[in-house]
Amino acid sequence: MLRCASTLALALALALPAAAQVQRNFTNKALRGTIVFGTPPEVTLNGKPARLAPGARIRDANNLVLMSGTLVGGKAVVNYTTELEGMLLDVWILSPQEQAKKPWPTTEKEAQVWQFNFDTQTWTKP
């Protein structure tokens, strides 16, 4: 039993630094915004009312899935995608390093005009 516990402790100790260094690859459909979480599924996105889609996935800076109910009242800079009806489908709460990657489109029009480099996860304005 002791051996099992020490093996588990070692595995967790090795996994935590790796989780802190997650390299996430965003799609060229991901827009940037500021979100305030209200009572699920209600949110405010860039100062305007919005809704989380059924089955929406919210990930923290370590890429762990969060439940929207635990975020009520929280505010974050995010990348997000929407489904066909405009509800938020994927929401990634950004780390300071991810927030520093600028420019990043905040509208679909910008995303259609700017060039996205998937390998470097950067956008270039025309």
Side-chain angles (χ1 to χ4, degrees):
M1 184 72 151
L2 181 60
R3 182 178 178 156
C4 219
S6 61
T7 303
L8 177 62
L10 178 61
L12 286 174
L14 293 174
L16 288 176
Q21 300 173 6
V22 171
Q23 168 61 43
R24 299 192 284 186
N25 290 317
F26 302 107
T27 150
N28 63 345
K29 304 236 183 266
L31 301 176
R32 175 130 334 144
T34 301
I35 194 169
V36 177
F37 293 94
T39 303
E42 304 299 326
V43 297
T44 302
L45 181 65
N46 300 325
K48 297 178 183 172
R51 289 179 70 97
L52 296 169
R57 293 172 297 273
I58 304 168
R59 296 185 179 273
D60 69 7
N62 292 320
N63 219 34
L64 299 174
V65 175
L66 302 173
M67 302 304 291
S68 58
T70 65
L71 300 169
V72 174
K75 180 178 181 179
V77 176
V78 298
N79 282 354
Y80 66 93
T81 62
T82 58
E83 45 93 79
L84 293 175
E85 294 179 15
M87 290 188 278
L88 301 175
L89 185 59
D90 293 296
V91 177
W92 296 274
I93 297 173
L94 301 180
S95 69
Q97 296 81 8
E98 291 168 334
Q99 290 180 40
K101 289 193 175 187
K102 295 179 182 177
W104 199 279
T106 58
T107 66
E108 288 183 33
K109 185 175 181 176
E110 289 175 342
Q112 291 171 356
V113 176
W114 298 2
Q115 297 295 315
F116 182 63
N117 183 322
F118 181 81
D119 294 331
T120 62
Q121 291 287 293
T122 56
W123 287 87
T124 307
K125 292 181 183 182

